[in-house]
């Protein structure tokens, strides 16, 4: 008798599990249940559809050759039965049945299963504020939502507020601002900086600086109190703790919550994050029921603790593993470092592993380094800067996190960091990876290699450095110290830090002019990227100076008053 496989959820993990199960078991009876209107679509592409980069929403549902993945496609190509516009309302584990209701006809039915898959996804979180139910207030949780938001923009919404400065909120802000619609975009983030779960403050500030330069109105550390409407019930004002904004449309992008109602009602175990708990085979507490995608939790590779990572890439990996195991396989899901990347106008930003802030909060003895550099040979046309921040465990020297921002090729270096963390590599091992080199692709020692070597120098006590935020805090406290600019006179004339304690001595003159500097004051050196700052630190120490440091990244990573586009 053929195995009966029932899958609840038809966006990412569900269709992937169904397709993989079919390839591994040609005789299985596979039924996929989806309550929405669309199947197997690229949810991560919705911001690009809203902004017009993706012309038609069907493109998000299509194969690479343009075939729409609808019910007919799944039946004709993969022999998978689709019950669309159908909601699963109850799981009877004893009878091994799923109770269904057709959303078009209200007809009720049951379907038996031998193996069941929950791919129920997530739901956008709605903060409990007045006015959330006004017209022109949207979430971006489904393709229907994306169509509605794009329609509203096309029909004249010109002042658009986005609540939430995470990945989706910022992608949507960029997409709307880059669209053909002449819109004014506000992003309101309750945390101190954007991308709070992904970047440390000094890296996030670089992203914020770029967004502001692209005319995104950015409000951080700002809590939304209410939404106000007009007499017709349409939103017209967003009110925060400190201000109010006239708006035509509001999009709420304040995170998602896993859809676990079916699992909870069926008595399946939920994890510490509130998502469904699964084992390494993606089985729930009932071995005949699997779960994957945004409704489940995983394990953080570094901490060994549960994490919730609602990402399309993760959901597709889950689906493939589940599909294999439905057909008798024993594939396992590994623990993950947690990786994300985003493109925001000309700025790319990526992160993997732990941020320095989170690692410190969790009790790690952390050491980090910020290292700018070109993404390819400086003499090759089209080179662009990237800024890498590496985070390591001081005791073990293992890499536990990486953040990379800049207009250059972030993706390549981020993937190198993912592999390093996944294999438990030390910073020393990372520095000696045999990375590909040719001038069109990298520098002779790649930017990641430079960053790793810089962190090694800091670990070994050679490089004595402070971060840009620490320097700014010292300036704000009006501490007595010297900021020593070691750049050339030409560089100094083009861009300079506007502080009275800045002294300019080019590195080539520093040995001869070191006597001009007091030995009883702290000296913090810098240049464009602080390579000369590091060399100057070593030089001054050799001349008998004992309180000398350089600030990491130099002017290239200074996120405050300086226009770094001129350097």
């Amino acid at each position: 008798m053929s195995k009966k496989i029932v899958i609840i959820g038809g966006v990412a993990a569900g269709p992937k599990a169904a397709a993989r199960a079919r390839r591994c078991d040609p005789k299985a009876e596979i039924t996929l249940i989806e309550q929405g209107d669309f199947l197997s679509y690229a949810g991560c592409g919705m911001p690009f559809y809203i902004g017009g980069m993706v012309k038609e929403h069907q493109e998000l549902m299509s194969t690479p050759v343009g075939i729409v993945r609808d019910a007919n496609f799944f039946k004709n190509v993969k022999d998978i039965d689709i019950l669309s516009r159908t909601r699963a309302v109850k799981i009877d584990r004893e009878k091994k049945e799923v109770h269904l209701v057709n959303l078009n006809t209200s007809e009720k039915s049951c379907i038996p299963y031998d193996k069941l898959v929950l791919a129920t996804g997530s739901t956008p979180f709605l903060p409990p504020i007045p006015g959330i139910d006004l017209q022109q207030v949207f979430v971006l949780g489904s393709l229907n939502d994306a169509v509605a938001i794009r329609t509203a923009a096309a029909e004249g919404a010109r002042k658009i507020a986005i609540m939430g400065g995470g990945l989706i909120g910022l992608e949507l802000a960029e997409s709307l601002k880059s669209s053909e619609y002449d819109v004014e975009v506000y992003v309101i983030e309750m945390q101190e900086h954007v991308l709070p779960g992904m970047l440390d403050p000094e890296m996030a500030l670089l992203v914020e600086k770029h967004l502001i330069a692209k005319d995104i109105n950015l409000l951080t550390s700002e809590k939304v109190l209410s939404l106000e409407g007009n007499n017709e019930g349409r939103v017209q004002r967003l009110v925060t703790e400190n201000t109010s904004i006239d708006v035509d449309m509001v999009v709420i992008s304040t995170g998602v919550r896993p859809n676990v109602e079916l699992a909870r009602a069926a008595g399946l175990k939920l994890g510490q994050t509130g998502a469904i708990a699964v084992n390494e085979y993606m089985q729930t507490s009932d071995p005949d029921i699997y779960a994957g995608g945004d409704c489940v939790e995983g394990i953080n590779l570094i901490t060994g603790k549960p994490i919730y990572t609602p990402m399309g890439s993760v959901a597709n990996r889950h689906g493939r593993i589940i599909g294999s195991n439905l057909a008798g396989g024993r594939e396992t899901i590994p623990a993950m470092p947690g990786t994300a990347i985003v493109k925001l106008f000309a700025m790319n930003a990526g992160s993997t592993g732990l941020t320095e802030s989170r690692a410190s909060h969790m009790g790690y003895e952390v050491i980090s380094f910020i290292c700018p550099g070109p993404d390819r040979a400086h003499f090759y046309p089209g080179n662009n800067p990237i800024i890498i921040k590496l985070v390591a465990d001081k005791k073990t020297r293992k890499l536990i996190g990486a953040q990379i921002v800049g207009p250059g090729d972030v993706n390549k270096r981020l993937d190198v960091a993912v592999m390093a963390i996944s294999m438990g590599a030390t910073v020393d091992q990372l520095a000696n990876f045999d990375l590909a080199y040719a001038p069109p692709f990298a520098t002779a020692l790649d930017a990641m290699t430079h960053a790793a070597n810089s962190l090694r120098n800091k670990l070994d006590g050679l490089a004595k450095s402070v971060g840009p935020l620490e320097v700014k805090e010292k300036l704000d406290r009006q501490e007595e110290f010297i900021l020593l600019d070691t750049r050339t006179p030409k560089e100094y004339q083009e861009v300079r830090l506007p502080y009275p304690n800045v002294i300019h001595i080019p590195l080539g003159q520093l040995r001869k002019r070191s006597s001009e500097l007091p030995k009883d004051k702290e000296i913090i050196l810098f240049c464009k990227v602080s390579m000369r700052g590091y060399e100057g630190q070593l030089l001054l120490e050799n001349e008998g100076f004992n309180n000398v440091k350089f600030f990491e990244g130099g002017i290239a990573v200074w996120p405050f008053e300086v226009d770094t586009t001129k350097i």
Side-chain angles (χ1 to χ4, degrees):
M1 181 181 292
S2 57
K3 183 185 302 180
K4 291 181 172 61
I5 297 172
V6 175
I7 299 171
I8 303 172
V11 177
K16 191 69 173 180
R20 177 64 178 173
R22 170 57 71 225
R23 294 186 186 105
C24 296
D25 186 349
K27 297 184 181 300
E29 296 178 25
I30 304 175
T31 303
L32 189 148
I33 300 160
E34 169 55 40
Q35 66 179 359
D37 298 307
F38 305 109
L39 289 168
S40 191
Y41 60 86
C44 296
M46 293 190 296
F48 310 109
Y49 161 73
I50 290 169
M53 185 180 297
V54 177
K55 299 302 181 184
E56 303 293 338
H57 70 267
Q58 288 87 352
E59 295 178 53
L60 301 179
M61 303 165 53
S62 300
T63 67
V65 296
I67 301 171
V68 176
R69 293 186 293 260
D70 56 14
N72 289 331
F73 168 82
F74 278 97
K75 182 61 179 176
N76 296 333
V77 176
K78 301 181 183 297
D79 192 24
I80 294 168
D81 294 315
I82 302 294
L83 298 180
S84 57
R85 295 288 298 162
T86 300
R87 179 175 294 157
V89 295
K90 180 183 177 182
I91 300 168
D92 189 328
R93 290 168 55 193
E94 186 174 338
K95 293 182 179 179
K96 301 188 79 168
E97 291 179 342
V98 179
H99 293 237
L100 310 173
V101 60
N102 185 294
L103 298 179
N104 291 329
T105 66
S106 298
E107 180 183 354
K108 297 179 180 179
S109 61
C110 290
I111 184 171
Y113 67 85
D114 296 311
K115 300 292 181 182
L116 177 65
V117 180
L118 301 181
T120 49
S122 60
T123 299
F125 171 70
L126 294 177
I129 59 173
I132 206 82
D133 56 349
L134 289 167
Q135 296 175 40
Q136 297 292 93
V137 176
F138 301 98
V139 296
L140 185 53
S142 70
L143 196 48
N144 297 81
D145 298 326
V147 172
I149 294 169
R150 177 163 162 170
T151 300
E155 291 179 350
R158 291 297 173 261
K159 291 187 175 182
I160 302 172
I162 299 168
M163 290 174 54
L167 288 167
I168 299 300
L170 294 187
E171 281 184 334
L172 182 58
E174 183 225 17
S175 189
L176 285 166
K177 193 65 182 178
S178 302
S179 70
E180 64 183 23
Y181 313 118
D182 183 20
V183 296
E184 191 173 354
V185 179
Y186 295 83
V187 175
I188 302 95
E189 170 55 51
M190 189 168 63
Q191 302 296 323
E192 292 182 0
H193 58 82
V194 299
L195 302 173
M198 179 175 159
L199 299 178
D200 282 314
E202 68 273 25
M203 302 296 276
L205 283 170
L206 296 170
V207 175
E208 291 177 9
K209 191 173 183 179
H210 183 70
L211 291 171
I212 292 168
K214 295 296 183 180
D215 293 327
I216 298 294
N217 299 288
L218 194 59
L219 287 76
T220 55
S221 299
E222 198 77 52
K223 183 178 181 180
V224 177
L225 299 180
S226 66
L227 303 175
E228 298 177 355
N230 60 18
N231 293 334
E232 298 175 351
R234 295 166 65 94
V235 68
Q236 66 176 7
R237 186 172 295 107
L238 180 147
V239 180
T240 74
E241 290 176 317
N242 299 301
T243 189
S244 65
I245 304 166
D246 292 335
V247 294
D248 302 316
M249 179 167 73
V250 174
V251 182
I252 299 171
S253 182
T254 51
V256 297
R257 300 294 184 268
N259 290 328
V260 298
E261 292 77 13
L262 267 178
R264 181 188 288 114
L268 299 177
K269 181 182 177 182
L270 303 184
Q272 295 179 25
T273 66
I276 302 171
V278 293
N279 64 13
E280 65 268 35
Y281 305 107
M282 305 302 299
Q283 291 169 302
T284 67
S285 52
D286 183 331
D288 288 327
I289 302 179
Y290 294 77
D294 288 6
C295 63
V296 308
E297 68 181 20
I299 299 296
N300 185 284
L301 175 65
I302 301 160
T303 67
K305 298 181 181 298
I307 53 170
Y308 180 56
T309 52
M311 301 284 289
S313 54
V314 175
N316 275 277
R317 285 198 295 274
H318 286 175
R320 190 182 193 280
I321 291 168
I322 291 170
S324 297
N325 294 345
L326 289 169
R330 297 291 286 172
E331 288 195 23
T332 59
I333 182 74
M336 299 176 294
T339 305
I341 191 169
V342 64
K343 175 191 170 296
L344 301 169
F345 301 100
M347 173 77 78
N348 307 308
S351 174
T352 188
L354 302 180
T355 62
E356 182 176 14
S357 304
R358 186 177 176 213
S360 297
H361 180 73
M362 297 185 72
Y364 285 88
E365 188 178 359
V366 176
I367 188 165
S368 67
F369 196 91
I370 301 171
C371 186
D375 65 346
R376 62 200 73 191
H378 68 276
F379 53 79
Y380 190 85
N383 72 87
N384 280 301
I386 57 175
I387 299 164
I388 300 175
K389 178 176 182 178
L390 298 183
V391 182
D393 180 352
K394 193 171 184 179
K395 293 179 180 178
T396 65
R397 300 176 72 98
K398 284 186 177 182
L399 184 70
I400 59 173
Q403 300 159 53
I404 314 175
V405 302
D409 187 350
V410 164
N411 188 61
K412 168 183 172 178
R413 281 80 190 182
L414 186 64
D415 286 343
V416 170
V418 172
M419 294 300 103
I421 293 173
S422 298
M423 65 180 285
T426 64
V427 176
D428 311 274
Q429 290 171 315
L430 173 60
N432 286 302
F433 280 4
D434 185 20
L435 302 179
Y437 165 64
F441 303 106
T443 51
L445 290 178
D446 188 75
M448 180 58 80
T449 306
H450 278 298
N453 277 327
S454 297
L455 186 49
R456 291 170 78 192
N457 286 337
K458 190 171 181 178
L459 278 161
D460 295 336
L462 293 173
K464 298 178 178 66
S465 64
V466 293
L469 289 189
E470 187 175 344
V471 175
K472 186 62 164 62
E473 288 168 1
K474 292 168 75 70
L475 289 167
D476 291 342
R477 291 193 298 264
Q478 297 184 336
E479 293 185 17
E480 286 196 23
F481 70 102
I482 291 171
L483 269 174
L484 183 57
D485 189 336
T486 62
R487 296 175 301 150
T488 65
K490 180 181 178 182
E491 290 176 289
Y492 183 72
Q493 290 300 319
E494 289 174 346
V495 176
R496 66 184 71 178
L497 295 186
Y499 306 111
N501 59 337
V502 173
I503 294 177
H504 176 232
I505 302 178
L507 181 65
Q509 302 175 21
L510 186 57
R511 193 178 304 276
K512 292 181 180 179
R513 296 176 57 187
S514 64
S515 60
E516 299 175 20
L517 298 170
K519 291 188 176 181
D520 60 345
K521 280 190 177 182
E522 180 182 25
I523 299 173
I524 299 178
L525 300 92
F526 68 95
C527 62
K528 178 180 177 180
V529 299
S530 278
M531 176 61 73
R532 285 167 286 178
Y534 171 46
E535 292 177 349
Q537 171 226 309
L538 297 174
L539 185 156
L540 288 180
E541 285 181 335
N542 191 52
E543 295 293 322
F545 290 78
N546 297 317
N547 194 6
V548 183
K549 306 177 183 70
F550 66 94
F551 87 70
E552 296 169 12
I555 286 184
V557 306
W558 191 251
F560 304 106
E561 297 87 349
V562 172
D563 182 3
T564 54
T565 61
K566 295 179 181 179
I567 64 174

